[in-house]
Amino acid sequence: MTRSFESHLNDEVATVTMGNQVAAIIEQGAVIYLHGDLGAGKTTFTRGVVQGFGHAGKVKSPTYTLVEPYELERANVYHFDLYRLGDPEELEYMGIRDYFSANAICVVEWPEKGGEFIPVPDLDITLSYVGNERKIVINSASDRGVAIVEKLNKKQ
């Protein structure tokens, strides 16, 4: 049973705020896939998630390092950017499975490049341009994802 949530995001602040809202709802670990063209707001949304878990500093895209860890009081958040990944097997060499523990929040940009080396997500999110705004579509892909999307829909 899939659930969906859609919203228009007027600007960068709205995109960060949406990330904050998702972070506030996640009670346990979660795997979040982010899809969208370059510049569509994937890292901006991730900044909102990471800050929603209590990080006060900058949030940068780990384009060259593949993963940026944030070890926070409420949860460990791992931000993956697989855009420059040459071969999905490289993920096995970096110990990718260790990141996807029960309490971790894993946000994965460009998940299609990870192949079978990354788990099925709880949330499958697409960010796209609609004129000068962005549109976010959040689809559940697990029971945990259904619960998160249902809470988002209740808040709207």
Side-chain angles (χ1 to χ4, degrees), residues 10-143:
N10 296 333
D11 53 22
E12 183 175 334
V13 172
T15 306
V16 170
T17 299
M18 179 57 65
N20 288 166
Q21 290 174 353
V22 169
I25 292 170
I26 296 173
E27 295 170 2
Q28 301 173 349
V31 176
I32 301 169
Y33 283 5
L34 295 178
H35 305 276
D37 293 335
L38 287 171
K42 296 180 298 295
T43 300
T44 303
F45 174 84
T46 302
R47 180 179 348 133
V49 171
V50 172
Q51 289 174 346
F53 277 96
H55 181 70
K58 291 190 177 222
V59 174
K60 60 182 178 159
S61 181
T63 303
Y64 295 99
T65 59
L66 294 182
V67 63
E68 189 68 38
Y70 299 92
E71 295 180 1
L72 306 168
E73 189 173 315
R74 197 170 133 217
N76 290 333
V77 181
Y78 300 107
H79 178 198
F80 296 89
D81 184 338
L82 306 183
Y83 182 72
R84 296 199 184 281
L85 186 66
D87 183 337
E89 201 167 307
E90 292 175 40
L91 296 172
E92 192 67 25
Y93 300 127
M94 70 176 268
I96 190 83
R97 294 168 206 254
D98 295 339
Y99 291 99
F100 293 95
S101 68
N103 286 340
I105 310 304
C106 294
V107 182
V108 184
E109 295 186 39
W110 305 97
E112 58 277 6
K113 294 185 176 262
E116 65 198 39
F117 294 95
I118 55 176
V120 172
D122 297 300
L123 299 176
D124 202 18
I125 299 175
T126 302
L127 289 145
S128 58
Y129 292 105
V130 178
N132 292 334
E133 298 179 345
R134 292 184 176 119
K135 178 182 177 182
I136 188 167
V137 177
I138 303 175
N139 290 306
S140 63
S142 72
D143 290 342

